[in-house]
Amino acid sequence: GNSVTQMEGPVTLSEEAFLTINCTYTATGYPSLFWYVQYPGEGLQLLLKATKADDKGSNKGFEATYRKETTSFHLEKGSVQVSDSAVYFCALSDSGEKLVFGKGTKLTVNP
Amino acid sequence: DAGVIQSPRHEVTEMGQEVTLRCKPISGHNSLFWYRQTMMRGLELLIYFNNNVPIDDSGMPEDRFSAKMPNASFSTLKIQPSEPRDSAVYFCASSPGQGQYGYTFGSGTRLTVV
């Protein structure tokens, strides 16, 4: 079945550091891929998405590229801020209605 | 659009009581999902509806849990009787009906059963 594997956290960085959160997937066909972010006390929010191979999703300085050859969708940001502290979830959707989520990676950014 | 609206935001109840959580999806979205989030288990899909019809309830933990969607703009998740282990944050999400568009989540209901 479809699955998503994220790097285990927590991840702790200093402000302005470079961020990478790894995400790999297993799926039949050509899934759509997503990153969601959950700030403390809030629901999950869609951060970015990509619907086909080689697409790059981007938002708020975050980027992720859909790599079919490596079945990956790693999240990156060049310079993190304290306000980026949150839990990040990678997810995929096949042609159906359901999303399959990874377990989440907690990011803490220290000033 | 006001987004997905859940109520209440917080609920504290005694063990054995009935609890009802409510969700109003985004207008025009025809799929609705109920999730539970805990530190131990992470994010779990409980049940989802398409066009008001339950499609997959395999995640509902036991018969104490039930969910309904009487119309396109309202859904409930009921726990009767509640137990301390039901304490969690419950999220509702809606989507246009195909996964490629992603979901929009509500802010959640934090349930504490004492």
Side-chain angles (χ1 to χ4, degrees):
Chain A
N2 297 338
S3 66
V4 173
T5 303
Q6 288 182 238
M7 63 184 286
E8 298 225 356
V11 175
T12 302
L13 296 173
S14 297
E15 207 164 23
E16 299 184 2
F18 185 86
L19 168 71
T20 300
I21 301 178
N22 290 338
C23 172
T24 57
Y25 67 90
T26 301
T28 55
Y30 303 96
S32 295
L33 301 172
F34 306 84
W35 277 100
Y36 280 81
V37 58
Q38 184 178 29
Y39 299 104
E42 299 183 14
L44 280 72
Q45 303 174 23
L46 179 63
L47 180 60
L48 54 84
K49 70 176 185 180
T51 57
K52 61 183 188 296
D54 300 325
D55 269 2
K56 177 185 286 188
S58 61
N59 186 24
K60 299 182 180 180
F62 290 89
E63 293 183 339
T65 301
Y66 188 141
R67 301 286 188 199
K68 184 171 179 293
E69 63 276 12
T70 55
T71 61
S72 65
F73 193 56
H74 304 322
L75 183 68
E76 297 182 336
K77 187 174 186 182
S79 176
V80 293
Q81 304 301 311
V82 172
S83 57
D84 294 325
S85 298
V87 180
Y88 292 82
F89 292 88
C90 186
L92 73 80
S93 169
D94 56 19
S95 57
E97 296 157 336
K98 288 200 298 187
L99 292 186
V100 175
F101 286 90
K103 293 184 183 298
T105 302
K106 183 176 181 179
L107 170 67
T108 300
V109 181
N110 295 317
Chain B
D1 199 317
V4 176
I5 300 173
Q6 291 187 246
S7 64
R9 285 300 308 272
H10 302 275
E11 176 81 37
V12 180
T13 191
E14 292 187 347
M15 183 173 64
Q17 296 298 305
E18 177 180 297
V19 175
T20 299
L21 311 181
R22 297 173 175 80
C23 176
K24 177 179 168 55
I26 289 175
S27 177
H29 282 193
N30 56 13
S31 291
L32 182 140
F33 306 82
W34 281 102
Y35 282 85
R36 177 172 69 176
Q37 187 177 41
T38 61
M39 290 292 291
M40 291 294 293
R41 294 175 174 268
L43 197 61
E44 302 174 276
L45 176 63
L46 300 178
I47 185 171
Y48 85 92
F49 296 84
N50 183 257
N51 292 324
N52 313 337
V53 175
I55 302 300
D56 182 355
D57 65 354
S58 59
M60 296 285 263
E62 48 198 277
D63 291 346
R64 297 184 298 105
F65 285 69
S66 62
K68 294 182 179 179
M69 192 165 186
N71 57 61
S73 59
F74 184 65
S75 177
T76 59
L77 178 67
K78 184 178 294 186
I79 308 172
Q80 164 65 17
S82 58
E83 297 183 4
R85 60 193 167 121
D86 302 329
S87 296
V89 181
Y90 291 80
F91 289 104
C92 176
S94 69
S95 83
Q98 292 194 23
Q100 66 190 87
Y101 298 105
Y103 299 171
T104 301
F105 281 79
S107 297
T109 295
R110 180 174 295 278
L111 173 65
T112 304
V113 183
V114 298

